[in-house]
Amino acid sequence: RAAGHRTETEVNAFFDAIAIELAKLPRGTKVVTVADWRACPLLSDEVSESLLTKMTGNNPLIELSAAIASADSPIQVLQFQRLVRDTHYAHRKLFFNPPELMAWLKPALNEQEFQRLGEFLAEYKAH
């Protein structure tokens, strides 16, 4: 969702959709995930805690997880850094620069996945 998560219901729906896709994979498969938080508003405490719980719950399924945020809002940056840190998962990182994010994920992606990552990151339009 381009506008981010504004309610706990939206967080639950998003992670329910992820669970449906993950269930299609062979058991034990680990995935690479990317979230674009550049248009995400400051999250309420309720939404932030729900997101943290869901992200942490997915740790065993994640090979690498990257999020990209805009450095323009210091309060949001602190919130996103806390989310990433509090998942206690070393293979999850926050980035502010698409090329750095892409370089970090590249070893875990095939050529088609890497191309799609570039397309995904290019979809963001700054306001």
Side-chain angles (χ1 to χ4, degrees):
R1 181 174 140 95
H5 303 294
R6 299 182 190 280
T7 67
E8 191 172 359
T9 301
E10 289 177 345
V11 170
N12 290 335
F14 179 71
F15 278 88
D16 288 347
I18 290 171
I20 289 169
E21 295 306 312
L22 291 174
K24 296 175 185 177
L25 300 175
R27 188 177 194 90
T29 300
K30 291 198 172 216
V31 297
V32 174
T33 66
V34 180
D36 189 337
W37 292 342
R38 292 176 287 186
C40 206
L42 188 62
L43 305 172
S44 70
D45 289 343
E46 175 186 80
V47 170
S48 178
E49 289 309 309
S50 180
L51 189 56
L52 176 60
T53 298
K54 297 290 188 175
M55 288 170 61
T56 302
N58 278 347
N59 282 352
L61 308 171
I62 304 295
E63 180 178 347
L64 291 175
S65 180
I68 189 161
S70 171
D72 294 340
S73 176
I75 293 173
Q76 286 166 299
V77 167
L78 288 173
Q79 186 176 54
F80 297 149
Q81 286 174 327
R82 182 190 75 84
L83 280 169
V84 170
R85 180 191 68 235
D86 287 357
T87 63
H88 303 289
Y89 193 64
H91 300 287
R92 181 177 278 121
K93 288 187 171 188
L94 180 64
F95 294 88
F96 303 100
N97 178 300
E100 288 176 14
L101 182 153
M102 292 181 72
W104 188 66
L105 291 180
K106 187 173 185 170
L109 302 175
N110 65 36
E111 187 175 320
Q112 182 181 6
E113 292 165 337
F114 188 73
Q115 180 179 340
R116 178 61 190 118
L117 172 62
E119 293 166 358
F120 171 74
L121 293 172
E123 290 172 6
Y124 172 75
K125 303 287 185 238
H127 294 52

